Structure formats: C-alpha cells, structure tokens
Amino acid sequence: MKFNWGTGIVLAFIGFISFIMYFIITMNTDSKYDHDLVTEDYYKQELEFQNDIDKQKNGNALKTNIDWKKTNEGIVILFPEALKTENITGKVFLYRPSNKQFDFDITISLSNHNLLIPDKRLLGGRWNIIVDWQYKGKSYLYKKEIVY
C-alpha cells in the first residue's frame, strides 16, 4: 500500500474523531467527573433573583445591617440593636460549596440580638451564610462568604 496525502488526511480524521470519542465516553461514564448543579432547585432560585435583590436593598437601608463574628463557641450572628427581637423571624441557611451534605438551616429565635451557630455543626473551610429574615412584615436578606 502506498502512503499519500489522502491516506494521511483520512488517518488524521480517524485519529481526531477517536480522541474526541474517548473523552466523551470517559466524561459520561467516570463518576469522578460528575458535577451537580449548585443547588437542586437552581432554576426556581433564578426566578426569585429580583426578589432577593430587593431584600438585600432593604437590609442595606438599615442603619446597621446584620454582622457576624467567630467565637470559641461557633459563629455569632449579630442582629441590629435598634430592632425588637420578638418581631424578628426567618431562617439562617449555611451552605457548604464543597459538599452539600453539610448544608443546614436554623430557624431564627432570639432572646437577645445574637444567634449562635454551634461550633460542632461547622467544619473548617468556606461557608456561605444566607440570612433570610423579616421584621414587622418587611423582608431582608443578608449573604456573606466566610472561611471558618
């Protein structure tokens, strides 16, 4: 058999197609390449995005917004001192980007202006804190990325 340009081009195409097919099959069958959406209801959350922006604007309009600090007992979320604690309701959601099994939420129930998230529930590393709360019928949202 004589090797010419036409044979070389056909062999190059066959090699390239084989190379691409190898990666397609590998990415679809190997479990270490599985990547889920960030959250299960991603598209639903996307539709509520403007609502979240409005809630964040409400929080930024306060004299003092929510803050947090790290203590020996865990993370303390500090609510504004000017607000009455009995009128504050909502949830605190802690999201672990590296592993969704560690995600959890806490219902806000305050006796003073601080909410403690215990150290035993938190692993070292990056966390996203989302505080979705209401005060006298007005909704607020606080988001923060922290390293614990």
Side-chain angles (χ1 to χ4, degrees), residues 32-144:
K32 74 177 181 179
Y33 297 117
D34 286 342
H35 295 288
D36 297 326
L37 289 174
V38 175
T39 59
E40 293 296 325
D41 55 350
Y42 176 79
Y43 297 108
K44 179 183 171 193
Q45 287 184 355
E46 186 67 28
L47 294 174
E48 296 176 7
F49 190 66
Q50 184 60 47
N51 192 20
D52 289 347
I53 291 171
D54 295 339
K55 289 179 184 179
Q56 284 180 320
K57 283 182 183 178
N58 290 342
N60 293 335
L62 293 171
K63 287 183 182 178
T64 57
N65 200 357
I66 291 178
D67 202 7
W68 70 279
K69 67 180 178 180
K70 182 178 176 181
T71 64
N72 292 335
E73 294 85 29
I75 293 176
V76 176
I77 297 178
L78 308 165
F79 285 85
E81 294 285 332
L83 306 178
K84 294 182 180 179
T85 57
E86 61 268 6
N87 295 330
I88 297 174
T89 59
K91 287 191 178 253
V92 177
F93 179 65
L94 276 89
Y95 166 71
R96 179 81 177 200
S98 62
N99 191 341
K100 67 181 177 182
Q101 293 176 337
F102 296 117
D103 298 352
F104 65 94
D105 59 351
I106 298 173
T107 302
I108 297 173
S109 62
L110 302 174
S111 58
N112 57 17
H113 289 88
N114 303 330
L115 178 68
L116 175 67
I117 300 168
D119 182 58
K120 64 183 177 182
R121 304 264 332 246
L122 301 168
L123 297 173
R126 182 173 165 221
W127 287 90
N128 293 350
I129 297 177
I130 301 170
V131 183
D132 189 0
W133 60 290
Q134 297 81 32
Y135 181 73
K136 292 187 176 179
K138 194 168 185 179
S139 296
Y140 302 90
L141 186 68
Y142 175 80
K143 292 182 179 182
K144 188 73 175 177

